[in-house]
Amino acid sequence: MFKSNGKSIWCVLPISWLFVEGVIAKESALWNADHEGIIDQPETIYKVFFPNELLARQAAISFHGQLLETDYKSGYMIMELTNEDKYKLKVYGFTFESAEQWVAERDRKLQAIQQQLKQRKILSERGERHVLMSGIPGYPCYQTVEETFQAAEAFTKNYPTLAEWLDVGNSWEKAAGKGGYDIKVLKLTNKNAKELKPILFANSAIHAREYTTAPLNLAFARHLLEGYGEDADATWILDHHEVHLMLMTNPDGRKKAESGHYWRKNTNQNYCGATSSNRGADLNRNFSFSWNTVSGGSSGNSCNETYRGSSPASEPEIKAIESYVRNLFPDRRGPDNDDAAPLDTMGLHLDIHSYSELVLWPWGTTRNTAPNGMQLQTLGRKFAFFNGYMPQQSIGLYPTDGTSDGISYGELGVPAFTFELGTQFFQSCSTFESKILPDNLAALIYAAKVVRAPYMIPSGPDVTSIKINNDFSAQRSSQGIPVTLSASVTDTRFSRRNGTEPTQAISAAEYYINVPPWKKGATAVPLQAVDGRFDEKTETVSGIVDTSELPVGKHMLYVRSQDADGNWGAVSAIFLPITNEPNINYCKAESINSSDEWISKVQVGQFIHTSGASHYSDFTELKTGKTIPLMLGRNEVTLTPDFAGRAYGEYWRIWIDFNRDGDFADSGEMVFDPGSSTTTTQRGVITVSSNAIIHQEENIKTRMRVVMRYKDAPSPCGRFSYGEVEDYTVEIRSK
């Protein structure tokens, strides 16, 4: 393979295929059902027993289009196979049984989903509240195409300086004038932070039936946006990096799969018949780089699940993603097959799939190691540390071609990885929420941290925890009081499955205040090993932060460490709030759901604050630098709700902690209670009596809590179903 004028040209040579662990060798001239004149036999669903788990995961790569379900513990996979497929598996020791019971259970589930769809339509027509964001039938944790798009649009309204929803192309049905969807990207970054920012691009749901993929990407976006200003890592990632998420890469096909069908491809009616349930192209065999270059790497049969399409990038969905990726990343890889991208290459591409519990990197067309193979392997093992998956090169029992890593790594030199989530296409919500989501969210956060130098940073140590402590509080510090910063750092966070990575002792650690290490003007402050010397692969480090020159407000402490080979690892951060107020720990209050209704605007006198949806928002002076001036006597207040759909009756209350004792339970501290709910703006008066000032100073600052709750009267503490809680700092002025 070599590149010419930006295009990839492949030369296909005979390849010797080796069984795992080198037990058996077999030449590549295997019977290929996609040769001219040979037509695939009808497919049959089998229970396929594998000789060992490693071969099973290899088969999951090469026969991903035939997979339906896997039970690794019981030693079998459910696959839809032709006789040719069976032959290819049989030579590796796979055996086959009828899967009649599985088929019957699948049909039962499909029938139940169809019934739920009918019931949902009836309820929706009645305007029932609980079906407005109901998810895929039978799988409420997975958003539909429409719900995914609505959530992304809501992000742009709620976080206008952090989120954009970009139209980058069309699905096949939309391009053909048959309905369909836009191909859209959710771009996340702080628009007000102007600098050259490295980019993480992650696409999901390119295969329609892979339920977990788009919800994971959407949850990742929600974590970053809701965490901005609250979570230090989420904040600096959005300030200094960009995250681009193509949530629904194949929305037409995804819509088919939402009805319970194991739909994989897009819905191109020019392939396999306009009404066939086997129509369409496999979008992950349609990428232009390496398209149809390897014998058996994809199918030429338009009814096959791995049909490659009529030509390279023939499908509008792939045209959209290739064009977008080329605009994101410069070409940093040379024209020859063995040309490596420079180690300082910025950017990262993740293609989120399910299933098989794998982390994969190039090449998938050959067993040869990619020119950046060592660096790809290091990062892959780092990802696998977080999600527990098997890290390996993406070649399986047989090769694949025309896949997503071709555009990013093959053409441009940007590191590219595929995550294969979980063990089923229609994974249960309990498994997704308890295992797949938290494990892979951690991997995505790490990816967003290292995009500045993904070929170098993963070799370095990680910061696993950071704490700040002083004599007053672990949450904030009074101005001028020294703060102890402590952290744990380690060079050991690599998966030990399928090989090991070299690790070294920690040699140094340092922190930076407000300016990260890669920016001009950054000042490193060394941290010391708590045990007195750097000689272990895991160390606890600490240092003293001088706060005497830090103004009141919230500051960022960036921490990183270095190993004995000179590798600096990923940055982690913590907020250091500096205040001149006494520290008070207030009770927690939040809603469980703010997607349908939220506090849009709070106006007290001339003070106006607008915001988007959140379960709880801290708008106190320490967070925003702003206070609400309150005069003794009457202060007019206007409270405005907002809604995703129809308006609901909302009950409002306001409390002020006049005596600054950390609660809102004292007499007179509930200062606003209209006594009933309303669907519109609530207006009234906050009255502050002279008894409110109980200290000697002329003016006092304290906390005000605003609670909006659906239907019922709220309390100042605790959780409730629908609505929002917002906290503010008020300054009570005597004149």
Side-chain angles (χ1 to χ4, degrees), residues 450-465:
V450 302
V451 289
R452 188 168 297 274
Y455 288 134
M456 295 190 290
I457 294 174
S459 295
D462 293 333
V463 180
T464 58
S465 66

Side-chain angles (χ1 to χ4, degrees), residues 146-221:
E146 289 77 13
E147 290 167 355
T148 300
F149 283 16
Q150 289 167 9
E153 289 172 357
F155 287 152
T156 65
K157 295 178 181 178
N158 299 334
Y159 305 95
T161 63
L162 300 177
E164 291 181 82
W165 187 223
L166 308 174
D167 185 348
V168 301
N170 296 320
S171 70
W172 183 86
E173 290 184 15
K174 182 155 190 180
K178 299 179 181 296
Y181 299 87
D182 294 319
I183 304 296
K184 307 199 78 171
V185 169
L186 182 63
K187 177 183 176 181
L188 308 177
T189 194
N190 182 357
K191 301 175 188 177
N192 296 327
K194 305 296 186 182
E195 60 182 274
L196 176 63
K197 298 180 180 181
I199 295 169
L200 169 64
F201 174 70
N203 65 280
S204 49
I206 196 170
H207 288 146
R209 62 195 178 190
E210 299 172 4
Y211 276 6
T212 58
T213 60
L216 172 65
N217 244 351
L218 190 64
F220 179 38

Side-chain angles (χ1 to χ4, degrees), residues 539-583:
E539 296 276 4
T540 300
V541 298
S542 68
I544 301 299
V545 181
D546 181 6
T547 67
S548 60
E549 301 298 322
L550 297 180
V552 170
K554 187 162 59 175
H555 302 271
M556 182 87 76
L557 301 180
Y558 299 89
V559 180
R560 67 174 183 169
S561 63
Q562 185 184 47
D563 66 24
D565 278 357
N567 301 305
W568 285 101
V571 166
S572 291
I574 191 171
F575 284 126
L576 174 60
I578 299 295
T579 181
N580 56 10
E581 302 176 33
N583 181 62

Side-chain angles (χ1 to χ4, degrees), residues 22-99:
V23 176
I24 301 175
K26 184 175 182 64
E27 293 302 315
S28 62
L30 292 171
W31 179 22
N32 180 6
D34 297 325
H35 288 339
E36 291 185 13
I38 299 178
I39 300 175
D40 282 346
Q41 299 83 3
E43 296 173 337
T44 304
I45 296 176
Y46 296 95
K47 181 182 283 189
V48 181
F49 293 87
F50 47 81
N52 58 62
E53 185 175 331
L54 193 55
L55 277 173
R57 296 188 188 278
Q58 294 274 356
I61 299 172
S62 294
F63 294 87
H64 198 271
Q66 292 88 333
L67 274 178
L68 297 174
E69 195 170 304
T70 298
D71 188 335
Y72 286 116
K73 291 183 179 179
S74 299
Y76 69 85
M77 315 162 90
I78 304 295
M79 305 179 78
E80 192 167 12
L81 304 173
T82 65
N83 287 339
E84 169 62 14
D85 297 327
K86 288 179 65 179
Y87 171 80
K88 290 182 176 181
L89 287 166
K90 188 175 181 180
V91 297
Y92 284 92
F94 289 76
T95 58
F96 311 90
E97 286 185 5
S98 171

